[in-house]
């Protein structure tokens, strides 16, 4: 039902990452696309993990992915830190 991508924020702790990503989420949720005169709202959901804590990309990626799926199960259009 959607595309997934990674946003890598260098020298950014998870709390600052949350603020940045949530600001992007809020800007996007006020947008829409028009298809055949029908407005379709756009939202994003996100999972955040902290590389400085684990120093292992695979572990960090899996934690962020788990957070994303938790968001999808609990209502979407929000960001969760794992």
């Amino acid at each position: 039902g959607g595309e997934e991508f990674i946003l890598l924020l260098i020298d950014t702790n998870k709390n600052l990452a949350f603020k940045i990503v949530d600001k992007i989420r809020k800007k996007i949720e006020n947008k829409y696309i028009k298809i055949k005169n029908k407005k379709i709202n756009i939202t994003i959901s996100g999972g955040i993990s902290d590389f400085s804590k684990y120093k292992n990309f695979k572990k960090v990626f899996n934690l962020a992915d788990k957070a994303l799926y938790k968001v999808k199960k609990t209502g979407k259009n929000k960001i969760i830190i794992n």
Side-chain angles (χ1 to χ4, degrees), residues 7-62:
L7 179 62
L8 181 61
L9 301 171
I10 306 297
D11 295 326
T12 306
N13 67 42
K14 60 186 175 183
N15 293 322
L16 181 55
F18 177 86
K19 289 178 184 178
I20 293 167
V21 176
D22 200 48
K23 185 176 181 178
I24 294 168
R25 182 195 64 78
K26 287 176 181 176
K27 287 187 178 269
I28 289 174
E29 78 178 348
N30 293 317
K31 305 293 181 193
Y32 64 88
I33 58 174
K34 237 178 170 179
I35 298 176
K36 296 183 181 181
N37 294 326
K38 183 178 178 182
K39 290 182 182 180
I40 299 173
N41 287 73
I42 302 168
T43 61
I44 64 168
S45 301
I48 294 175
S49 186
D50 187 356
F51 185 79
S52 68
K53 185 175 180 180
Y54 299 102
K55 305 290 187 202
N56 179 299
F57 179 77
K58 188 172 182 177
K59 173 78 173 171
V60 172
F61 178 82
N62 286 334

Side-chain angles (χ1 to χ4, degrees), residues 67-82:
L68 175 59
Y69 278 95
K70 185 175 181 182
V71 169
K72 289 180 176 182
K73 290 180 182 177
T74 60
K76 300 182 182 179
N77 194 31
K78 60 185 169 185
I79 310 300
I80 290 181
I81 299 173
N82 195 358

